[in-house]
Amino acid sequence: ELRADTITGSDGTSPVTLTKQSAAKAWANHNNTGTVAVNASFNVSSLSDSGTGGGQLSFSNAMSDAYYSATHGGNQSGSQTAMGGVEDNIFTGTQAASSVYVIQANGGSAADFVSVNTTVHGDLA
């Protein structure tokens, strides 16, 4: 039996590297209405507003490269759900090792959502 409150890398400060596992390397619950804000997250340092429906999440610890998997979806209002994604006619952005752009759309038009959930899988730098 192993019980621990905190596990860190051998340097005493960095997170433990997961090997051969597909645990999320970053996730965030955030909003894009009014003043954008991250409500809860792991390995996310900030969220910037990129216009209607768009935002950029920056990572606290960068990914090893820009070839990771980022998925997200959200809720536009209290009762309506739509999936997010990148649509060239609405928004273009570059996925980078240090950040990911997210876009929410409903019916083909960019829209700010009250709740957005983003998850990132890949390798940390």
Side-chain angles (χ1 to χ4, degrees):
E1 177 177 327
L2 175 64
R3 294 180 186 208
D5 292 325
T6 304
I7 299 175
T8 60
S10 59
D11 64 2
T13 58
S14 64
V16 173
T17 302
L18 298 174
T19 58
K20 305 297 180 195
Q21 297 181 23
S22 60
K25 300 306 188 297
W27 62 264
N29 174 280
H30 51 99
N31 75 65
N32 273 9
T33 59
T35 302
V36 299
V38 174
N39 302 315
S41 68
F42 170 73
N43 194 28
V44 172
S45 59
S46 65
L47 168 64
S48 59
D49 192 348
S50 298
T52 301
Q56 178 183 5
L57 289 169
S58 296
F59 305 131
S60 302
N61 296 291
M63 304 300 288
S64 62
D65 54 40
Y67 302 107
Y68 51 85
S69 173
T71 56
H72 71 279
N75 186 306
Q76 188 175 10
S77 66
S79 61
Q80 189 176 41
T81 301
M83 295 303 293
V86 174
E87 298 183 29
D88 290 338
N89 62 334
I90 298 172
F91 177 83
T92 57
T94 303
Q95 186 166 302
S98 61
S99 63
V100 64
Y101 285 89
V102 294
I103 182 76
Q104 297 79 52
N106 189 359
S109 298
D112 287 337
F113 281 23
V114 297
S115 179
V116 181
N117 300 293
T118 303
T119 305
V120 175
H121 290 271
D123 295 322
L124 292 174

